[in-house]
Amino acid sequence: MSPDFHLGPVLPEFILAVGALVLLMVGALRGERSTALVTELAIVVLGAAFLIDVGTSVHGTIVFEGAFLDDAFGRFMKGLALLGSLVTLVMSIGFLKQEGIDRFEYPVLILLSTLGMLMLISANSLIALYLGFELMSLALYVLAAFHRDNLRASEAGLKYFVLGALSSGMLLYGASLIYGYSGTVLFSGIATALQGNAHIGVVFGLVFLSAGLAFKMSTVPFHMWTPDVYEGAPTPVTAFFATAPKMAAVAITVRIIITAFPGILHEWQQIIIFISIASMALGSFAAIGQTNFKRLMAYSAIGHMGFALVGLAPGTEAGVYGVLIYLSIYLVMTLGTFAAIMMMRRGGVNIETTADLAGLGRTRPAMAFFLAMLMFSLAGIPPLAGFFAKFYVFQAAIQANLYALAVLGVLSSVVAAYYYLRIVKMMYFDEPTGVAFDKANPAVSFVLGAAGLAVLLFWVFPAPIVASAAAAARSLF
């Protein structure tokens, strides 16, 4: 990889930055009557950035004095983040109108947060990492409380901001310790400085850095914000929180662990294994008693981030490959499930309790079928996509002789299957509790159907995802 300063490697970020600024000016000059126009243009901007990201060649280019790296791993993860942002923005349109909170600031905040994610994913130094982290987070704080007249949304935004500020401080403190003991902010420089020399100060720095990243991944013990924010924020915002920012947080965790700390594998491996086991266990057991669908998905997300980190624990190319497959499938499953939650609406009022899904197989058979496929996939039942996601990460753990981690992962998966299958049982075996749901927004229905078919037919045509993930994982080693 050779140093380079041309615009090509940062073109998706450049498009998002210019697009966000232009749309902000349009909104500021034309006021709320520009909301529809700004939203449509934001979708175009995200679509253009996505097409450029996946459609142009990758050269492994380093720019901005080594702070920014454009490689196959970054392109793969940016594609997932952009897809998550694009789909959630499309799903948001009808919902925000129904709730009376469709404002031009919403798509602009989505663009700015996504820009931070892309910067975070391609960060090759501690400073770039922090800049991307903060740009992503600041927009997320506002989005969490976007329904400002709603008490639950305001509470969710405040909780997320306070705890997020704490995590940001911990990340920054960890980064300063690592810089102090390694003498450089570049990941490659840190790796060179720490070869076989795990100073206690660096280990402390790594712990604090991991704490900041664990907050954004919503993994134990920094998961406490997740159920409240998932429940309180508007559902499209929750769908956004559950997808795109998690892609960025896991991506930078994988990148910094693999590229900056390969010489102290034993030290960071213990941290990752602890976070993984604790997240899988809490996500599996705590969701059992949840009756609110969004809170249930919050604990589900905690558990799934734990499963994804099983692949990172070995620190091998096969493990990273497993993580990438897992995240791709998790993104689809989560978008589809939140599309179903957004379709739960009676008499113009949003419904969030799982009991309201009773009898859905008779009142809305198509919705029940696709949601059932997503629940089976989240549970990891073959031959659906979720099974292959877990298969790849557990296989990598076993190949690295992490048998206990793999066994605990399988046991947690069995426990978690209970609450996913309970929803399927409600839909097909319980009596309907009320009138059928309102007619759904076509875009949301399409997302649910597409996600359901994707997890159902993944085993038939997995080549595009599998080949791209293999190339992306290879670029890190």
Side-chain angles (χ1 to χ4, degrees):
M1 292 184 287
S2 58
D4 199 350
F5 292 91
H6 59 79
L7 189 61
V10 294
L11 193 53
E13 287 84 353
F14 181 77
I15 290 173
L16 289 184
V18 173
L21 293 175
V22 170
L23 294 183
L24 182 62
M25 291 301 297
V26 171
L29 293 173
R30 299 191 58 186
E32 294 303 332
R33 58 197 167 96
S34 66
T35 300
L37 175 65
V38 171
T39 304
E40 290 165 4
L41 290 176
I43 291 172
V44 172
V45 169
L46 282 170
F50 176 76
L51 291 176
I52 289 171
D53 180 75
V54 301
T56 55
S57 57
V58 186
H59 302 291
T61 308
I62 298 174
V63 292
F64 304 133
E65 300 291 338
F68 189 95
L69 173 61
D70 179 33
D71 59 357
F73 175 80
R75 289 292 183 97
F76 186 90
M77 294 306 302
K78 286 182 199 175
L80 295 184
L82 285 164
L83 186 63
S85 302
L86 181 61
V87 173
T88 52
L89 185 56
V90 170
M91 289 197 300
S92 302
I93 298 173
F95 186 94
L96 297 181
K97 281 183 182 174
Q98 289 167 343
E99 293 295 305
I101 52 173
D102 52 329
R103 303 187 187 100
F104 75 87
E105 293 92 340
Y106 181 82
V108 175
L109 287 167
I110 293 279
L111 288 183
L112 289 173
S113 181
T114 308
L115 172 61
M117 293 173 209
L118 302 198
M119 290 174 62
L120 189 60
I121 292 169
S122 276
N124 195 39
S125 78
L126 294 172
I127 293 175
L129 184 158
Y130 186 69
L131 289 175
F133 188 88
E134 283 302 293
L135 182 55
M136 175 182 77
S137 300
L138 291 173
L140 291 179
Y141 299 147
V142 183
L143 283 172
F146 195 74
H147 196 173
R148 61 193 179 200
D149 297 326
N150 183 289
L151 185 61
R152 287 198 309 168
S154 301
E155 182 184 343
L158 184 61
K159 281 183 180 174
Y160 191 55
F161 171 71
V162 172
L163 295 172
L166 176 65
S167 76
S168 179
M170 295 172 80
L171 183 139
L172 194 57
Y173 182 59
S176 67
L177 280 174
I178 293 169
Y179 169 67
Y181 284 97
S182 65
T184 178
V185 293
L186 296 177
F187 294 168
S188 56
I190 294 170
T192 304
L194 300 182
Q195 280 183 340
N197 180 25
H199 193 282
I200 189 65
V202 173
V203 176
F204 266 103
L206 183 57
V207 170
F208 278 102
L209 190 77
S210 302
L213 297 174
F215 179 87
K216 281 292 179 285
M217 290 188 289
S218 64
T219 51
V220 177
F222 301 99
H223 64 283
M224 66 290 289
W225 62 274
T226 316
D228 292 339
V229 174
Y230 269 47
E231 184 183 4
T235 304
V237 174
T238 308
F240 184 60
F241 274 47
T243 52
K246 282 190 169 46
M247 301 297 116
V250 176
I252 189 59
T253 304
V254 171
R255 184 186 289 284
I256 194 169
I257 288 288
I258 298 298
T259 62
F261 301 103
I264 56 171
L265 182 143
H266 180 68
E267 283 75 11
W268 64 253
Q269 194 175 58
Q270 296 177 62
I271 299 172
I272 296 298
I273 289 176
F274 167 75
I275 291 175
S276 176
I277 292 174
S279 300
M280 288 188 295
L282 185 133
S284 299
F285 285 99
I288 290 175
Q290 301 301 322
T291 55
N292 183 289
F293 206 170
K294 287 164 73 177
R295 285 187 78 87
L296 186 148
M297 286 305 295
Y299 286 107
S300 169
I302 295 168
H304 278 286
M305 289 300 103
F307 288 120
L309 291 180
V310 170
L312 176 58
T316 60
E317 184 179 326
V320 173
Y321 167 71
V323 173
L324 298 179
I325 296 282
Y326 199 100
L327 291 177
S328 306
I329 295 171
Y330 169 79
L331 177 74
V332 174
M333 294 188 298
T334 306
L335 287 172
T337 304
F338 274 97
I341 295 174
M342 292 172 66
M343 292 170 69
M344 294 171 60
R345 194 174 176 90
R346 281 197 187 108
V349 178
N350 294 310
I351 309 293
E352 294 179 357
T353 55
T354 53
D356 287 296
L357 291 167
L360 190 68
R362 276 175 269 176
T363 56
R364 297 287 296 275
M367 178 184 172
F369 173 76
F370 289 123
L371 183 55
M373 291 302 105
L374 292 167
M375 292 296 107
F376 283 133
S377 184
L378 284 165
I381 293 174
L384 299 172
F387 166 76
F388 295 98
K390 288 177 180 168
F391 172 77
Y392 284 118
V393 293
F394 292 154
Q395 184 184 45
I398 291 170
Q399 287 173 349
N401 298 324
L402 298 175
Y403 298 111
L405 180 62
V407 170
L408 288 171
V410 172
L411 293 176
S412 300
S413 185
V414 171
V415 174
Y418 167 76
Y419 56 81
Y420 296 124
L421 298 183
R422 189 182 60 180
I423 291 177
V424 178
K425 174 253 177 191
M426 286 177 177
M427 291 191 294
Y428 284 100
F429 295 102
D430 288 1
E431 291 295 323
T433 56
V435 298
F437 294 139
D438 297 348
K439 186 178 179 181
N441 183 310
V444 179
S445 302
F446 175 78
V447 172
L448 173 62
L453 287 175
V455 299
L456 182 62
L457 302 176
F458 173 79
W459 62 278
V460 178
F461 194 56
I465 295 295
V466 170
S468 301
R474 202 178 308 122
S475 70
L476 279 186
F477 292 86

